[in-house]
Amino acid sequence: MLAIEVADAKKTYDNKIVGIEKVTFNIKYGEVFGYIGPNGAGKSTTIRALMGLLRLDSGLVNIEGHDCFTDGVNARENVGYVPSELSFYNSMTVRKYLEFMMKQKGRGFERIDDLCTYFELNQNRKTGELSLGNKKKLAIVCALACSPKVLIMDEATTGLDPIMQQKFFEQIEKEKKKGTAILLSSHNLNEIQRCCDRVGIIKNGTLVAVKEIGEFKSKLMKRVTFETKYSHPEITIDGVENLKVDGNRYEFNYHGDMKALNDFIASLDIVNVSIVDVDLNEEFMRWY
Ligand code: ADP
C-alpha cells in the first residue's frame, strides 16, 4: 500500500485562481519526498487537501489507502503534520499543549520529554511567548510525538537556525529508518536535498518534474572559472553555457563530459582554475 497517493488533483480558488492542476505523485513508506516550489506554486494547496482542509475540484488524495476528504479520520489517524502557518493556544504552556494534542490523537505522552530535550524546547514556556523558531520546534515536536507513520511537513525548516536544521534532519533520518513516509515541502531545495530520496518540482500549480535526488544531482552543472597566463583560447568543448570572458579570465557553466573539460584545461597555460557544483537551488530555478 502507498502511504500517500495524489492523482490528477485539481483545485481552483474562486473559480479562477489555479491552486493546483493535474498534480500526481506517490510516496512509499520509508521514503522522503521533497516537494519543491517557490511561494504560490501550490505546495500548501496540495498539503491542505491531504489534511482535509480543502476539497479538490477533481482528482484524488489518499493517505494509507483512505480518501482524505470522505474518510479523513482514518486517513489522518497516523499522520504527524507541521502546517506552514503556526497557531497554538497562546495561554497554554508547551507541555500542556503537547499533552492536549496527544490526547486528541489518542496517543501517550512518552515521546514528549525526549523530543523537547532534543530540540531544546522549554516545556514550561507559554506557547504565545515563543519565538518563531521555537514555535516551529513545537510544531515539529508535536508532529513527531504522536509516533506517525506518515509525516507531512509544510516549510518545516523555515525559521530554524542551522544547528536546529541539522537536528531536524537527523530526526527525519531516524523516522525514515523506522519506515515513516515523509513529505517535506520547501521553497529551498538546498535546504532539504540532503535527506530527500525523490524530489517533485511544482510550478504555477503543475508538477513539472519528479526525480530521484541522485538523478537530479547527476545532471547538475559545474561552474568553471580559469585564468590563462598569456593565451586567449577559443572554447572548443561541448556543453558550455553563459560564457563570460574578461581579459585572461574565463567563466562558464558546464554540463558536458568531465574528461573533455579536464583535457581542454590541461592543454592551456593555466594560472588558476576552479570547478564547483552549481548551487542546487540555482539549478532548480532553471525549471522556471
Ligand atoms: P505555496 O504553498 O507553494 O506557497 P499555495 O498553495 O499557498 O502555494 O498557493 C497556490 C496558489 O493558490 C497561489 O496563486 C495562491 O495565491 C492561491 N491561493 C492559495 N490559497 C488561496 C485562497 N485561500 N484563496 C485564493 N487563492 C489562494
Side-chain angles (χ1 to χ4, degrees):
M1 185 177 51
L2 289 163
I4 291 181
E5 196 180 355
V6 178
D8 221 4
K10 178 178 176 184
K11 168 73 189 172
T12 315
Y13 294 99
D14 306 326
N15 291 325
K16 52 182 188 297
I17 303 165
V18 175
I20 50 173
E21 203 166 25
K22 294 186 188 153
V23 168
T24 298
F25 65 89
N26 300 319
I27 308 180
K28 298 187 281 281
Y29 291 99
E31 182 179 40
V32 184
F33 185 83
Y35 198 38
I36 309 294
N39 292 336
K43 304 180 298 295
S44 295
T45 300
T46 314
I47 287 174
R48 286 203 291 266
L50 283 164
M51 294 310 296
L53 300 171
L54 57 81
R55 192 191 271 273
L56 293 176
D57 302 343
S58 57
L60 168 148
V61 273
N62 272 2
I63 301 179
E64 301 205 282
H66 305 284
D67 184 279
C68 293
F69 206 82
T70 58
D71 192 10
V73 174
N74 285 320
R76 284 179 290 282
E77 165 75 22
N78 298 309
V79 173
Y81 172 49
V82 176
S84 60
E85 275 147 37
L86 306 174
S87 68
F88 307 103
Y89 299 102
N90 284 346
S91 58
M92 277 187 189
T93 61
V94 165
R95 177 76 198 186
K96 280 273 171 275
Y97 176 78
L98 288 168
E99 287 184 358
F100 171 77
M101 294 303 283
M102 291 310 110
K103 275 187 203 153
Q104 288 232 314
K105 278 260 184 200
R107 301 293 204 275
F109 304 156
E110 56 277 359
R111 296 193 75 193
I112 293 178
D113 281 340
D114 282 353
L115 284 165
C116 285
T117 305
Y118 182 81
F119 282 107
E120 298 167 30
L121 194 57
N122 182 338
Q123 297 188 45
N124 300 317
R125 293 283 301 279
K126 292 238 170 73
T127 63
E129 295 166 357
L130 298 176
S131 65
L132 174 63
N134 280 325
K135 282 188 171 147
K136 217 27 158 318
K137 289 196 267 178
L138 174 55
I140 292 166
V141 167
C142 191
L144 293 169
C146 67
S147 301
K149 290 189 184 152
V150 176
L151 267 171
I152 297 178
M153 303 181 132
D154 201 354
E155 299 277 357
T157 47
T158 308
L160 294 183
D161 65 41
I163 293 170
M164 278 303 146
Q165 280 193 10
Q166 182 59 34
K167 289 192 159 204
F168 171 78
F169 290 121
E170 282 164 15
Q171 277 296 324
I172 293 296
E173 272 305 315
K174 279 190 196 159
E175 288 294 327
K176 176 178 149 70
K177 282 197 185 116
K178 277 195 246 167
T180 310
I182 303 166
L183 178 114
L184 276 186
S185 94
S186 180
H187 62 277
N188 188 338
L189 180 55
N190 278 334
E191 218 164 86
I192 65 163
Q193 52 90 11
R194 69 184 98 164
C195 69
C196 293
D197 299 302
R198 278 189 306 142
V199 171
I201 293 175
I202 184 163
K203 170 195 178 182
N204 297 334
T206 307
L207 205 54
V208 292
V210 178
K211 288 169 188 268
E212 302 280 334
I213 191 76
E215 187 195 344
F216 200 82
K217 285 183 180 170
S218 72
K219 293 212 171 105
L220 269 186
M221 289 199 298
K222 306 281 177 193
R223 172 105 66 231
V224 181
T225 314
F226 67 77
E227 205 175 328
T228 57
K229 198 164 185 186
Y230 305 112
S231 67
H232 295 96
E234 193 186 335
I235 308 290
T236 50
I237 45 175
D238 292 332
V240 172
E241 276 180 21
N242 294 337
L243 173 65
K244 287 184 197 128
V245 183
D246 179 10
N248 288 14
R249 190 174 183 281
Y250 290 68
E251 189 180 336
F252 53 87
N253 290 341
Y254 184 69
H255 55 84
D257 177 55
M258 283 311 289
K259 185 172 182 313
L261 176 67
N262 287 332
D263 289 350
F264 175 70
I265 288 173
S267 72
L268 304 175
D269 52 338
I270 288 287
V271 177
N272 59 52
V273 61
S274 148
I275 303 173
V276 292
D277 283 338
V278 166
D279 186 83
L280 254 191
N281 233 34
E282 223 175 282
E283 179 68 353
F284 140 72
M285 290 310 288
R286 273 163 36 96
W287 291 96
Y288 294 88

